[in-house]
Amino acid sequence: MTASRGEFSSRFGFLMAASGSAVGLGNIWGFPTNAASNGGAAFLFTYLVLAFALAYPALMAELIIGRHAKSNSIKALQSISRGPKTRALAVAVGALGIVTVSFILSFYAIVSGWMMAFFLDPLARLFGASELASWLTRDTSWRNAIFMALFMALTIHIIRAGVKNGIERWASRLMPMLILILLLLIFYVLTLPGAMDGVHAYLVPDFSQLANPSLVVDAMGQAFFSLSLGVGTMLIYGSYISKGENLPVTGSLVALLDIGIAVIAGMLILPAMYVALANGVEIFNADGGLVAGPALIVSVLPELFGDMGAAGVFVALAFFLLMTIASLTSSISMLEVPVAYAVESGNMSRGRAALLIGAIVTCVSLVIVLNFDPLFDFVVTYATEVSQPLLGFFFCIFVAWIWRRDAVLKEISQGCPNAESGLFWKIWPLYVKFICPMAILLVFLQ
Ligand code: PFF
């Protein structure tokens, strides 16, 4: 059984895949705009605290369960259960994770499709196809459906190729490219007039916002979404790590990469917005806050690129390529969760499972595209603000209250022989036992 499962071939491969899952639209779009509308560095500070104190322990819970069980999320949770009640809970939590991640993929693919269309727009303009260019940037159901389906086809194609030849190979190519493009764009944008006002808006804290309860809720939601927690992606990637790998170290590298890239993405988006302002583009909404929703990515930034002349074409290409890459390395991790289940528990071949589940998600996406207003926000809110934190809560309960403590230590000790005397084992068990579940519940109830 284990022999037929995939495994990442190296620590680098795992790091690229897991940070590829974590780094996505949530980092490059979600984090900077959340920071902008929640008091700049006051949000940054709260986010850093919550990401390290709550999201990192929850990430470790998933990685440890996954590597221990070396199986899909439902089986993995069952394998650490004790008695029929917790086994039933394992099935419920694992299944809710699979359903939730499929819904996340269904809206993520729509937004990622926009990124692909906006990537092709400067190319179309470069080749004088102005009608095509305006079709690509017009918000129509046809465009949204076609690009969503294209994006899903790419995701399915990579997942069909398997863990090493699909996920690891593509993440190892795309992630270094993503970091390079992000840095180049930041260096360029920071040289433009107005950029320093953006840096100021991002890094000078408005501490009065700390009293705002939505700041903590937003920061926690952002941290959970950003680290892809609760839905079994990190569990399944954990199940493909070799037993010789040091989990606390590898897990902290993933968290550091994810948090680091979100923080540096702020150095791109906010300065770019203020450069747009200096060029006469409206960046504030009716309440005086910064534009944060889809309008930012599909109207404010393209307007800015349009004003940049010839350079704007390349900046637009680079920016939307960055967004497409970030989306793709995340979407493959989402599709892997139900596919791994279908392969291991439904005895399907990987190719068939990827195709079948990918097609189902594409159909759900299509329903959302065709009923955008009533459905899109509903699916986003339910999946990311209700289901994800709730599932994160249950993962902590499984690892800290249901699984035997000595078995947890035994798993961590593989690849980290001195685990018992290390700092991680002194702090982490307490965190996942008390602090994480209580904090999640508190924020959740709010
Ligand atoms: N972490 C991704 C982002 O920040 O965009 C989103 C994500 C990926 C959420 C995978 C959930 C998931 F399972």
Side-chain angles (χ1 to χ4, degrees), residues 21-22 24-27 101 104 108 225-226 228 231 233 330 333-334 388:
S21 166
L25 298 173
N27 301 60
V101 81
I104 294 181
Y108 209 81
F225 184 72
S226 188
S228 315
V231 288
T233 37
S330 296
S333 72
M334 298 178 202
Q388 244 187 319

Side-chain angles (χ1 to χ4, degrees), residues 96-97 100 104 107 217 220-221 224-225 229-231 377-394 440-441 443-446:
L96 183 62
T100 303
I104 294 181
F107 76 73
V217 179
M220 188 167 105
F224 266 73
F225 184 72
L229 295 178
V231 288
D377 279 349
F378 173 76
V379 175
V380 173
T381 309
Y382 179 76
T384 63
E385 286 171 28
V386 180
S387 198
Q388 244 187 319
L390 200 65
L391 286 163
F393 168 83
F394 279 112
I440 296 173
L441 266 196
V443 176
F444 187 69
L445 291 179
Q446 222 177 38

Side-chain angles (χ1 to χ4, degrees), residues 405-426:
R405 201 179 144 91
D406 55 335
V408 182
L409 178 62
K410 197 168 151 211
E411 183 54 46
I412 301 174
S413 300
Q414 301 201 44
C416 176
N418 303 326
E420 193 169 6
S421 55
L423 188 64
F424 182 78
W425 188 247
K426 290 201 173 75

Side-chain angles (χ1 to χ4, degrees), residues 119-130 132-133 309-314 317:
F119 167 69
L120 293 179
D121 158 57
L123 282 180
R125 276 188 286 130
L126 206 61
F127 290 106
S130 51
L132 175 64
V313 172
F314 296 101
L317 269 176

